Amino acid sequence: MEQAKHIGLRENVISKLGVNPQDAIIALTYFTISFATLLIGGLLGLIQGLERAGLYSLPAGFNYYQVLSAHGLLLLVVFTATFTIGYQLANLSHSFNGLLPKVRKMIWVGIVLKVIGVVLAVTMIVLGEASVLYTFYPPLAAHPIFYIGLVLLVLGIWSVAFGVFINYRHWRKENPGQPTPILAFFAMGVFVLWFFASLGVTIEVFMIIPWVLGWVETINVMVTRTLFWWFGHTLVNIWYLVATSAWYIIVPKIVGGKHFNEKLIRLVVILLVVLNIPGGFHHQIIDPAISLSIKFLHVFMSLSIAVPSLMTAFAMFYVLEKAGRKKGGKGLFGWFKKLPWGDVRFLAPMIAMIAFIPGGAGGIVNTSNQMNQVVHNTMWVVGHFHVTVGVSVVLTFFGICYWLIPHLSKRQLTAKMNKVGVIQTWIWTIGMTIMAGSMHLAGLVGDPRRTSDTTYAGHETALSWLPYEYVFATGATLLLIGVIIQVYAVFNMMFFAPKGKTEYPVAEPEDDQPKVPMWTERWGLWAIVLLAVVAMAYVIPIVDMIVNAPPGSPPIKTW
């Protein structure tokens, strides 16, 4: 008995040094899956760009839409989800002094479900049975196994989410009257959004499966599209919420400062959770069967995300300027030069934050009814997506790697690996600027997206797009180089870097901060508010789509 107590005490002391060793294995497993997926998805992205530009022909048995579908699923769902979960579980373990044993079991079950689901879905794409793009909504139809794989993927995410909720409730009971550690608060917001966002796509998939099995002849295309964007729109902002957790809490520590007012930070998290799901119709502005008033409601909800975004911008520039001036920065912008630009842990997320400015501006264009009519089905949208996700989100993820993976692996971030990270960050930034910038320009002159052949039998206007597509391919080549370097860095830090201790850089609050208000801890209330806002935005239009439904569509396979 005494020995057991001693062992338990020793494990408790170890976990207080950072992430519990058992939880570190879980997080590293997620990162292994994440970056293996990034390598495959990045290669497919280059192949896709070269094929579209006419510089490469796919082997017999493969087509452009097959590659596009795999690229979208692997990067937008698998890479981002596995990285997000690995990072948030590490944050929870660090905040809660380790996860509960039963929660670990639920997480391992989630890993198994997700891996099986991804293998099933990707296998169908490789076999040519699921070239339905990342959006995968009807009337395009894939093999039933593809959708079964998606169901397993969602169940895997739910298994993790419910485990997180159980661990949170346990911590609240053990620590009555105490505010949740700020990184754990972010994690709760992320998993609440994951669960409610996935409800829409789950309903959609269970509508699709009987349809592709032939049990029903037709399907309501508008309802399924709407349910997808319930999920698809929110997924983007889940990534944004994950990125902001590093901006608010990790970056200030790295620059030698303290994080901003915790009351504001928690309010930002709550606003992002409550406002996120309603807004999906701004992806459907050109769709029929949705009234203008409902579309404008969703546009308003989409633009409302600017409020917490501007709060974030103010808070971060305040923190960075204060840290820079503390280091001796003089004049209007002298503080800017004092920031640690040679530290990849700062450089990558800082570029990500800067990129969110043009990314957000492009989002306003996409959300505006009149301007969306011009750019909706063009490469502009693809360029916008690569700025917001490929820079603002992904570069933040990359920056996190350089401190979190050595911490989990009990290794060190060496000066050499830091230099590799800086080089990789600039290669990625330049490559994405070239590719996404040319995509925006090509979109403005009419170059269509989701189209393999854009020459239109040699039409003069279509041929004018070709130089932009060559630039796409140039940028995509640089991005693949960046992917290879990043994957090398991740696995080097995971297995080969010198043994040692790496700090978990959690910033402390500024002095004399007001007490954290406990009303922010009422996640049951915020979930109810979220559901009420979702009901306001979706119940009436979906009911209208069902009551006044068109004849519906049979399954269509175009490849």
Side-chain angles (χ1 to χ4, degrees), residues 377-394:
N377 281 318
T378 73
M379 289 301 294
W380 167 284
V381 175
V382 183
H384 163 73
F385 202 73
H386 280 85
V387 170
T388 52
V389 178
V391 184
S392 292
V393 172
V394 172

Side-chain angles (χ1 to χ4, degrees), residues 263-524:
K263 184 177 180 180
L264 177 139
I265 297 174
R266 289 168 182 262
L267 181 59
V268 166
V269 174
I270 293 168
L271 287 174
L272 288 174
V273 169
V274 170
L275 298 176
N276 253 316
I277 294 179
F281 283 167
H282 90 257
H283 292 269
Q284 296 176 261
I285 284 178
I286 67 169
D287 284 5
I290 306 172
S291 69
L292 283 177
S293 60
I294 292 293
K295 288 180 181 178
F296 284 138
L297 170 64
H298 279 246
V299 166
F300 172 77
M301 297 302 295
S302 297
L303 294 176
S304 68
I305 298 298
V307 175
S309 296
L310 290 172
M311 293 165 69
T312 298
F314 170 80
M316 290 310 305
F317 277 101
Y318 168 85
V319 168
L320 294 175
E321 180 178 355
K322 192 169 183 179
R325 294 198 182 282
K326 184 180 177 182
K327 294 180 178 180
K330 305 294 183 182
L332 187 60
F333 297 110
W335 59 271
F336 198 70
K337 298 177 182 179
K338 295 294 183 178
L339 298 175
W341 296 100
D343 187 338
V344 66
R345 301 173 302 161
F346 166 76
L347 176 67
M350 184 62 184
I351 293 176
M353 286 187 274
I354 294 171
F356 196 70
I357 299 172
I364 293 173
V365 172
N366 298 344
T367 310
S368 303
N369 183 60
Q370 293 87 344
M371 289 187 284
N372 186 275
Q373 309 295 321
V374 177
V375 302
H376 183 81
N377 281 318
T378 73
M379 289 301 294
W380 167 284
V381 175
V382 183
H384 163 73
F385 202 73
H386 280 85
V387 170
T388 52
V389 178
V391 184
S392 292
V393 172
V394 172
L395 263 187
T396 302
F397 287 4
F398 289 172
I400 290 169
C401 289
Y402 289 94
W403 58 264
L404 181 54
I405 289 179
H407 176 90
L408 297 173
S409 304
K410 292 183 171 50
R411 296 180 184 275
Q412 299 177 24
L413 172 62
T414 62
K416 179 181 178 181
M417 190 52 61
N418 178 73
K419 187 175 182 180
V420 168
V422 170
I423 293 170
Q424 190 278 340
T425 298
W426 285 116
I427 290 175
W428 186 269
T429 302
I430 294 168
M432 196 63 78
T433 301
I434 292 172
M435 188 179 77
S438 60
M439 285 176 171
H440 278 86
L441 294 174
L444 290 176
V445 296
D447 194 356
R449 61 177 173 140
R450 294 173 168 168
T451 304
S452 60
D453 181 11
T454 58
T455 62
Y456 291 92
H459 191 278
E460 182 179 353
T461 300
L463 291 178
S464 70
W465 304 330
L466 203 56
Y468 294 106
E469 295 180 355
Y470 290 157
V471 179
F472 299 172
T474 303
T477 302
L478 286 174
L479 289 173
L480 181 61
I481 294 172
V483 165
I484 293 171
I485 295 173
Q486 183 64 30
V487 172
Y488 160 75
V490 165
F491 288 105
N492 180 279
M493 291 184 292
M494 199 178 288
F495 298 110
F496 304 107
K499 288 286 187 178
K501 181 182 176 182
T502 298
E503 178 190 25
Y504 209 101
V506 179
E508 297 178 355
E510 292 189 316
D511 298 331
D512 302 321
Q513 286 295 305
K515 186 178 179 181
V516 175
M518 292 306 294
W519 55 261
T520 60
E521 298 286 345
R522 301 181 63 182
W523 280 106

